[in-house]
Amino acid sequence: MRSAELNAMSYLTRSPISVDVLVAEVSSSACGGTCLFLGTVRNGRDEQGVTAIEYSAYEDMVDAEFGRLLADARGRWPEARIAVRHRLGTIPVGEASIAIVAAAPHRAQAFEACRYVIEGVKQRIPVWKKELRVDGSEVWVDPAGHPTAKPSHV
Amino acid sequence: MRSAELNAMSYLTRSPISVDVLVAEVSSSACGGTCLFLGTVRNGRDEQGVTAIEYSAYEDMVDAEFGRLLADARGRWPEARIAVRHRLGTIPVGEASIAIVAAAPHRAQAFEACRYVIEGVKQRIPVWKKELRVDGSEVWVDPAGHPTAKPSHV
Amino acid sequence: MPITVRVRFFARYAELVGRSEAAVSLPPPATVGDVVRRVREDLPGARALPERPLAAVNMKHVKLEAQVQSGDEVALLPPIAGG
Amino acid sequence: MPITVRVRFFARYAELVGRSEAAVSLPPPATVGDVVRRVREDLPGARALPERPLAAVNMKHVKLEAQVQSGDEVALLPPIAGG
């Protein structure tokens, strides 16, 4: 089953994400601004005793959809250089589940491209998460109370 | 002269900026989104044979003004945790002159706070740069053709 | 000649149905919505799936009105929670 | 009793004036603009400074109309190029 393999060409990883590697992937002497977004597992006011989140995905589609999403972003910001990595598996509180980096000649492009990609991830990339709680319970996360909403681009 | 000392409490450094250290400064289990901006020395289409930029500053005022700028940002995004470092001295093409990191419970706050701080830096923080070119010439950078414009907040 | 598609279930949907995939056959022409209805009728546990889930065909997001063809991979996707 | 302020020059302005600071005395009441005018008249090279540069008093941005007092540190700032 191909989806079980996370190879070097994938946007997915089961290891901690290296910000340095990702920044190096996009760095260029033509780029003066780099914007990085890190999504990290949270145990905050809105959560109840979360110790970790287990991320799973429709892995082949994640790669296909990331390819389309990044192509969309590059169409909008042709000078931007963008890299992204989404981690799967059990991720403890405080560690990153996703990193997106966009480098561009000017900072506005870098910010906008990075923000565009994370918003696209939230809408389009088929990844799911299950909260693992201190009491041993497990809860699928249903974001934003829109359980059957379709992504707006469909 | 106090301005010659760059101590641990300063927002200034003469060494390469460590992104990891800065991210660690703001990380918190209550924060699910972290936005990092890196400004790097560029040798792109708009530059001519730049090999490095020499950054100088009114150092005491940089620290005072960064303090006020970050207080403004924290007033707007009370849940955000923000750290910033500006490098001075001669910085080669491709290396970072500034890093700003904002962590917040939700990503919108992180992006907005990070962007607010870099825009404030461009308006308010008394730092200057001189391009060092391959032909040996040196040119002060006068950004955006507004040589005597006052910062809008004055 | 019936249309046969491979249906895949993910995350909470896979738990509800108790399996990660199934082969579904139905008469042409058929839409993704037809596949969902057939799945909800035929598979134990699948009644708990929403009537109008997110869906993808061959790894692209589609509406439930999209046509399916034999050999398609139809995926039923719980609400996306990536990032 | 004249007002005496310390004037500081930075970056290109320091190069133009050939020094990084100067003491300037002038009769009260005096504004930052008055300090700038005195500097441009008295210091060799200072004619090349703009008539209305960015300025700070005691490490805060101010308008040229701001009053100065004895002991103030008045800084003339080239266009900001940080980041």
Side-chain angles (χ1 to χ4, degrees):
Chain A
M1 194 157 126
R2 189 157 77 92
S3 64
E5 301 165 21
L6 298 181
N7 60 45
M9 298 303 292
S10 177
Y11 299 102
L12 292 166
T13 177
R14 292 192 181 277
S15 311
I17 298 170
S18 167
V19 167
D20 288 341
V21 168
L22 218 58
V23 169
E25 276 184 29
V26 300
S27 75
S28 152
S29 65
C31 292
T34 301
C35 182
L36 167 78
F37 177 76
L38 286 177
T40 48
V41 174
R42 189 179 56 190
N43 178 23
R45 236 177 17 214
D46 301 340
E47 292 78 28
Q48 296 181 332
V50 173
T51 59
I53 289 183
E54 192 182 293
Y55 281 82
S56 60
Y58 182 4
E59 298 181 14
D60 288 347
M61 182 170 164
V62 167
D63 278 329
E65 192 69 14
F66 261 133
R68 292 185 286 261
L69 175 58
L70 295 189
D72 290 350
R74 289 174 185 129
R76 287 169 184 248
W77 297 278
E79 296 181 300
R81 296 165 59 89
I82 307 172
V84 61
R85 211 67 92 243
H86 202 307
R87 184 174 167 189
L88 297 182
T90 301
I91 308 182
V93 166
E95 293 191 17
S97 53
I98 191 167
I100 298 162
V101 55
H106 299 286
R107 68 184 178 282
Q109 304 159 330
F111 273 100
E112 288 162 15
C114 188
R115 184 77 190 265
Y116 179 86
V117 172
I118 182 62
E119 299 304 327
V121 167
K122 300 281 177 180
Q123 282 193 319
R124 298 167 56 168
I125 303 297
V127 170
W128 300 282
K129 50 191 187 188
K130 188 193 253 178
E131 288 180 357
L132 310 182
R133 309 221 172 139
V134 283
D135 63 5
S137 65
E138 303 184 347
V139 181
W140 288 104
V141 177
D142 190 351
H146 302 302
T148 58
K150 257 187 288 297
S152 63
H153 66 285
V154 172
Chain B
M1 197 156 125
R2 189 156 77 91
S3 64
E5 301 164 21
L6 298 182
N7 60 47
M9 299 303 293
S10 178
Y11 299 101
L12 293 166
T13 178
R14 292 192 180 276
S15 310
I17 298 170
S18 167
V19 167
D20 289 341
V21 168
L22 218 57
V23 169
E25 276 183 30
V26 299
S27 76
S28 152
S29 65
C31 291
T34 300
C35 183
L36 167 77
F37 177 78
L38 286 177
T40 47
V41 173
R42 190 178 56 191
N43 179 23
R45 234 175 22 210
D46 301 340
E47 294 77 29
Q48 297 182 331
V50 172
T51 59
I53 290 183
E54 192 182 294
Y55 280 83
S56 60
Y58 181 6
E59 297 181 14
D60 288 347
M61 182 171 163
V62 167
D63 277 328
E65 192 70 14
F66 261 132
R68 291 186 286 263
L69 176 57
L70 295 189
D72 290 349
R74 289 174 186 130
R76 287 168 183 249
W77 297 278
E79 295 180 301
R81 297 165 57 88
I82 307 171
V84 61
R85 212 68 91 242
H86 202 306
R87 183 174 168 190
L88 298 182
T90 301
I91 308 181
V93 165
E95 294 191 16
S97 53
I98 192 167
I100 298 162
V101 56
H106 299 287
R107 67 184 180 282
Q109 304 160 330
F111 272 100
E112 289 163 15
C114 189
R115 185 77 191 265
Y116 179 85
V117 173
I118 182 61
E119 299 303 328
V121 168
K122 300 282 179 179
Q123 282 194 320
R124 297 168 55 170
I125 303 297
V127 169
W128 299 281
K129 50 191 185 188
K130 189 193 253 178
E131 289 181 355
L132 310 182
R133 308 220 171 140
V134 283
D135 63 5
S137 65
E138 303 184 346
V139 181
W140 288 105
V141 177
D142 190 352
H146 301 302
T148 57
K150 257 188 287 296
S152 64
H153 66 284
V154 172
Chain C
M1 177 83 174
I3 291 169
T4 301
V5 300
R6 177 188 181 203
V7 182
R8 297 185 65 179
F9 307 100
F10 292 94
R12 195 171 70 88
Y13 292 176
E15 287 187 358
L16 290 171
V17 182
R19 55 202 294 178
S20 63
E21 60 178 284
V24 170
S25 294
L26 60 183
T31 66
V32 176
D34 295 331
V35 173
V36 173
R37 272 184 289 279
R38 176 63 57 92
V39 163
R40 294 181 79 250
E41 282 162 13
D42 289 2
L43 293 184
R47 271 281 161 211
L49 297 178
E51 288 178 32
R52 299 186 61 78
L54 277 181
V57 171
N58 300 334
M59 300 190 281
K60 288 183 116 162
H61 290 289
V62 294
K63 299 188 184 201
L64 296 178
E65 293 71 33
Q67 298 283 326
V68 294
Q69 303 191 320
S70 262
D72 280 350
E73 176 169 302
V74 177
L76 305 189
L77 311 176
I80 282 174
Chain D
M1 180 82 175
I3 291 168
T4 301
V5 299
R6 177 187 180 203
V7 182
R8 296 185 65 180
F9 308 100
F10 292 93
R12 195 171 71 86
Y13 292 177
E15 287 187 358
L16 289 172
V17 182
R19 56 203 293 178
S20 63
E21 60 178 285
V24 169
S25 295
L26 60 183
T31 66
V32 175
D34 295 330
V35 173
V36 173
R37 272 184 289 279
R38 175 62 56 90
V39 162
R40 294 182 79 252
E41 282 163 14
D42 288 2
L43 293 184
R47 271 281 160 208
L49 297 179
E51 287 177 33
R52 299 186 61 78
L54 278 180
V57 171
N58 300 334
M59 300 190 280
K60 288 183 114 160
H61 289 289
V62 294
K63 299 188 185 201
L64 296 179
E65 294 69 34
Q67 298 282 326
V68 294
Q69 302 191 319
S70 263
D72 280 352
E73 177 168 300
V74 178
L76 305 189
L77 312 175
I80 282 174

